[in-house]
Amino acid sequence: MSRNFLRDETSPYLLQHADNPVHWRPWGEEALNAASKEKKPILLSVGYAACHWCHVMAHESFEDEATAAVMNEHFVNIKVDREERPDIDAIYMSALHMLGQQGGWPLTMFLTPDGEPFWGGTYFPKEANYGRPGFVQVLQEISRIFREEPAKVYKNRAALTDALKKQAETARPGEPTPEVPVIVAEKLAEIMDPVHGGIRGAPKFPQVPLLSLLWRVHLRTARDDFAAPVLRALDHMSEGGIYDHLGGGYARYSVDEFWLAPHFEKMLYDNALLIDLLTLAWQETRKPLYERRIRETVEWLAREMTVEGGAFAASLDADSEGVEGKFYVWSEAEIDNLFTPAEAGLFKAAYNVSAEGNWEETNILNRLARADAPLTAEEEAALEPLKARAFVERDLRVHPGFDDKVLADWNGLMIAALARSGAAFNESEWVEMAASAFRFVMGTMRIDGRLHHAWREGRLQHLAMADDLANMADAALALAEATGDTAYVADAESLIAELDAWYADAVNGGYFFTASDAPALIIRRRTVSDDATPAANGVLPGVLTRLGLMTGKDEYLAKADALIRAFAGELQQNIFPLGSFIASLDTRLRPVQVVLIGSAEETAPLARAAFSVSCPARVLMRVADGASLPASHPAQGKTAVDGKPTAYVCAGETCSLPVTDAAALIEEMKRGIFYSS
């Protein structure tokens, strides 16, 4: 007799569905075998714990006895957490796109008993509306076609499966020119919203890899037309409703073009990427707004997103008490009751609170009216005690759901961001937060030399994806720079060795998303395109470049070059998902190497100066003397000046004159960034 098999899972999303009357199974060999044995099609439902529309479909359909009865009679039902199984999600989301449909979650796909897709969609309403069929109608028609018109199923299945395999096997090698970053930046600048920032139109996602690429090219060329869209986007995001003005942290995206109304879920990866970009922008502009948002977001991370052992949790839900955004929004009456009339007037004026509201008759706190005219330090100081009281009041509400699973790839992004921002702001506690999370992932989630993707409540789930290894290697190098501890470099080398052993594509180059021994997959995807998070094949050329320069091992530079060539032809296809890849190309072409000669303590002032410069292609090394550098390093053999701690900045094969002064080091680095632009 069938039953719901999700009670034994660790994913909070799967556990949300453990009491459904649907006979859900987790993805795996057992589920596929059951479909083959019962000769039933598979209904695959993919979502995640913080997803609002996933909750809607669950309440409407999966909790409904009558709907569940139809699902159980005609299908083997498989539920997948897309964050825990990004490999499954990516395969079937690609199939949905091939059907000409826009992606999104919940993802609802219909598969043969062998796991091959033949039709699908996203959210289906329980009842038919606006010309869209109701979910039960869809189920009954799909079941009928599967039984009575197998030729249709076969035709779709064959076409989609062949297309997926072709996509995975397609190689577009090439030889990129050094002008690629500037050419792409010029194209990106054309599609940016000059008023609100970000890409024109709605909905608006942060799109950090694209903004980061624009910022890199601005630094290389000193062109303000590349900086302006980045700063405008950061200003408006940081003052908009997408930012939590009381608790810190950014929501996943805005449903409008103004950055006002988010879907309120907060994801670890978005905040990691935004901390990184805000730090780069602050290093050049010194905007108080950016520092404030970084500090508030790190406080949120420490307060709400750090789990036992020091790693970081995945997300906070959009919903509380079954209502989207209920935790975050305010009525005017609530503000009036909380403060004195004068205080309420100040708070309402600052955060756009009114009787009629700015979103569904409630108020999303935002300061968009001041996005282009920042508050003064005095105005910020006046608001601080009011924000603190509102935060305490809000904290009494029912909190959104908390997905406390630990994901290696998302932790890698946040560890790297904290290490870099901690170094930039000279905040040793942030660096230690990063180091603690790194120790957890490497110590708890890596068994017998194999990293795993997810951990929760003492249980590991699923072998790592390539993104896990790439992001953790990047995190290791960020910690090596921030701390001077070369053990992190060895960690990065071991992660790259694991990638080479289990993920390398020996035919077309680059790396597959999944390991060669990953079970129950119809294909192994190979991509360089960023999705919500950066792609491993996009991140890795930069990681390999830095690793090669830090170790002096040319094999890593050769791997970076081969990886770049393996995917360079994609630049002729669609540039927009290639932000990470092009940034890595920039690092490979023009790394800015900073060598500090002297003890860690002696060179600390020079290190602080180096970390104060906006320089995403920086590779920083501390050595006792230049003789200990790799033989291939351009600063090999260079010495300290008069026994003082000394720095050299090397761009290409050329190094600067020795500098012992922090201000001089900053100037040399800026010259190095602008090198051969």
Side-chain angles (χ1 to χ4, degrees):
M1 182 177 175
S2 295
R3 63 178 177 88
N4 189 319
F5 289 88
L6 299 184
R7 290 181 181 85
D8 299 327
E9 294 299 304
T10 59
S11 157
Y13 176 67
L14 297 186
L15 292 172
Q16 287 173 3
H17 295 270
D19 295 323
N20 291 169
V22 179
H23 295 157
W24 292 118
R25 293 174 177 269
W27 183 274
E29 298 282 5
E30 289 184 12
L32 296 177
N33 290 340
S36 295
K37 182 179 178 181
E38 297 175 31
K39 296 182 172 56
K40 287 182 179 180
I42 292 168
L43 190 161
L44 173 67
S45 177
V46 184
Y48 57 100
C51 167
H52 171 69
W53 286 104
C54 301
H55 301 327
V56 173
M57 192 166 177
H59 297 322
E60 289 180 348
S61 295
F62 304 149
E63 295 170 9
D64 178 67
E65 294 279 355
T67 305
V70 177
M71 295 171 66
N72 295 335
E73 179 182 356
H74 297 294
F75 298 90
V76 168
N77 302 290
I78 299 180
K79 176 62 77 172
V80 166
D81 179 344
R82 70 169 290 259
E83 297 167 358
E84 193 174 74
R85 295 304 304 266
D87 49 346
I88 302 297
D89 177 61
I91 290 168
Y92 295 105
M93 189 64 76
S94 292
L96 183 68
H97 292 155
M98 289 169 181
L99 288 167
Q101 297 196 43
Q102 189 172 358
W105 297 276
L107 172 63
T108 308
M109 292 297 292
F110 297 95
L111 322 177
T112 69
D114 294 325
E116 297 169 323
F118 61 89
W119 195 74
T122 52
Y123 162 77
F124 288 99
K126 181 182 175 184
E127 307 292 342
N129 62 29
Y130 300 106
R132 299 178 67 189
F135 189 48
V136 171
Q137 290 176 267
V138 171
L139 295 173
Q140 291 171 335
E141 181 61 9
I142 292 291
S143 176
R144 185 197 67 77
I145 291 172
F146 186 81
R147 292 190 316 271
E148 300 175 8
E149 301 182 54
K152 282 187 178 179
V153 172
Y154 177 84
K155 181 179 179 182
N156 267 23
R157 188 267 313 166
L160 286 173
T161 304
D162 288 349
L164 287 168
K165 288 178 178 176
K166 183 178 179 182
Q167 183 185 65
E169 294 167 358
T170 296
R172 293 194 177 97
E175 192 73 43
T177 65
E179 293 75 32
V180 163
V182 176
I183 293 168
V184 172
E186 288 174 338
K187 292 181 179 179
L188 291 178
E190 293 173 1
I191 62 167
M192 292 292 162
D193 184 335
V195 177
H196 308 294
I199 293 177
R200 287 192 180 100
K204 267 188 161 61
F205 290 82
Q207 300 282 9
V208 174
L210 298 184
L211 295 177
S212 298
L213 178 60
L214 279 170
W215 188 255
R216 276 180 178 255
V217 181
H218 154 67
L219 295 171
R220 296 296 193 187
T221 62
R223 283 177 54 174
D224 290 338
D225 58 327
F226 294 145
V230 179
L231 300 178
R232 184 162 290 271
L234 292 177
D235 289 347
H236 284 247
M237 276 190 272
S238 296
E239 297 288 37
I242 193 174
Y243 182 74
D244 179 358
H245 290 266
L246 299 184
Y250 293 79
R252 193 164 74 90
Y253 69 101
S254 171
V255 301
D256 54 56
E257 64 179 331
F258 314 110
W259 303 107
L260 171 64
H263 272 319
F264 291 84
E265 65 263 40
K266 290 187 197 173
M267 319 302 291
L268 184 69
Y269 62 82
D270 284 316
N271 286 281
L273 294 169
L274 282 163
I275 286 172
D276 237 348
L277 179 57
L278 283 162
T279 299
L280 285 170
W282 175 83
Q283 284 167 321
E284 178 167 294
T285 66
R286 291 301 195 268
K287 276 195 175 187
L289 174 66
Y290 300 165
E291 178 174 357
R292 184 180 294 270
R293 295 297 179 255
I294 292 166
R295 290 187 179 278
E296 290 168 346
T297 299
V298 174
E299 287 172 13
W300 163 74
L301 183 73
R303 183 183 66 245
E304 298 185 36
M305 300 298 288
T306 304
V307 302
E308 187 176 353
F312 304 117
S315 68
L316 288 174
D317 207 327
D319 297 8
S320 53
E321 301 182 78
V323 179
E324 183 186 15
K326 184 173 182 179
F327 180 76
Y328 297 100
V329 298
W330 296 79
S331 68
E332 184 183 46
E334 287 175 313
I335 299 300
D336 289 338
N337 290 336
L338 185 59
F339 299 121
T340 67
E343 290 171 337
L346 176 62
F347 190 90
K348 290 190 293 186
Y351 290 103
N352 185 27
V353 175
S354 63
E356 63 273 14
N358 55 36
W359 180 74
E360 297 186 1
E361 300 179 347
T362 64
N363 293 278
I364 298 171
L365 302 185
N366 74 92
R367 305 194 321 195
L368 284 167
R370 297 296 297 271
D372 298 320
L375 272 66
T376 64
E378 292 76 17
E379 289 173 316
E380 292 279 14
L383 287 171
E384 277 304 309
L386 306 185
K387 286 170 57 183
R389 277 158 60 191
F391 174 81
V392 170
E393 180 72 14
R394 190 183 77 174
D395 203 41
L396 300 174
R397 298 174 178 176
V398 175
H399 281 242
F402 178 44
D403 188 334
D404 60 349
K405 69 176 176 288
V406 176
L407 301 174
D409 53 344
W410 296 8
N411 269 258
L413 291 173
M414 185 57 83
I415 292 164
L418 279 177
R420 288 190 277 260
S421 61
F425 288 96
N426 196 29
E427 289 285 357
S428 59
E429 287 187 13
W430 299 2
V431 177
E432 180 48 40
M433 281 175 66
S436 179
F438 187 87
R439 288 192 294 270
F440 181 93
V441 175
M442 294 294 283
T444 304
M445 299 178 67
R446 204 176 193 210
I447 306 296
D448 297 328
R450 298 295 297 275
L451 186 65
H452 288 67
H453 175 64
W455 178 95
R456 185 173 183 267
E457 294 187 342
R459 286 174 58 191
L460 283 175
Q461 295 278 28
H462 316 298
L463 288 170
M465 320 295 162
D467 290 7
D468 296 304
L469 293 151
N471 291 350
M472 285 299 295
D474 184 47
L477 297 183
L479 280 166
E481 287 192 306
T483 65
D485 185 347
T486 56
Y488 289 116
V489 179
D491 287 329
E493 289 196 87
S494 74
L495 291 162
I496 296 301
E498 187 177 340
L499 263 172
D500 287 337
W502 297 99
Y503 300 80
D505 182 346
V507 176
N508 293 319
Y511 297 93
F512 289 109
F513 189 54
T514 48
S516 56
D517 58 346
L521 298 175
I522 61 170
I523 59 161
R524 293 175 74 198
R525 294 184 74 247
R526 170 188 176 275
T527 183
V528 72
S529 297
D530 296 332
D531 196 0
T533 54
N537 285 311
V539 170
L540 281 166
V543 171
L544 290 163
T545 296
R546 291 158 59 213
L547 188 57
L549 296 174
M550 287 180 172
T551 62
K553 296 178 181 177
D554 289 340
E555 67 195 74
Y556 293 124
L557 299 179
K559 286 181 190 294
D561 291 338
L563 193 47
I564 288 168
R565 292 190 184 103
F567 289 101
E570 296 286 348
L571 293 163
Q572 307 303 318
Q573 304 296 315
N574 180 8
I575 60 170
F576 300 111
L578 301 181
S580 298
F581 178 72
I582 300 166
S584 283
L585 171 64
D586 173 74
T587 296
R588 179 67 185 101
L589 290 170
R590 304 182 180 94
V592 179
Q593 297 190 72
V594 180
V595 176
L596 306 181
I597 299 178
S599 71
E601 187 176 335
E602 291 171 336
T603 58
L606 291 173
R608 284 197 293 274
F611 291 132
S612 75
V613 179
S614 188
C615 183
R618 180 196 64 233
V619 182
L620 185 139
M621 299 171 63
R622 301 170 177 84
V623 294
D625 63 73
S628 61
L629 286 166
S632 59
H633 198 288
Q636 209 280 334
K638 293 190 180 294
T639 58
V641 174
D642 298 330
K644 296 178 183 177
T646 303
Y648 292 87
V649 178
C650 306
E653 298 303 314
T654 305
C655 292
S656 69
L657 294 172
V659 293
T660 58
D661 174 71
L665 173 57
I666 290 169
E667 288 307 309
E668 288 294 346
M669 284 186 67
K670 289 181 177 179
R671 271 195 282 273
I673 295 167
F674 201 70
Y675 172 74
S676 295
S677 295

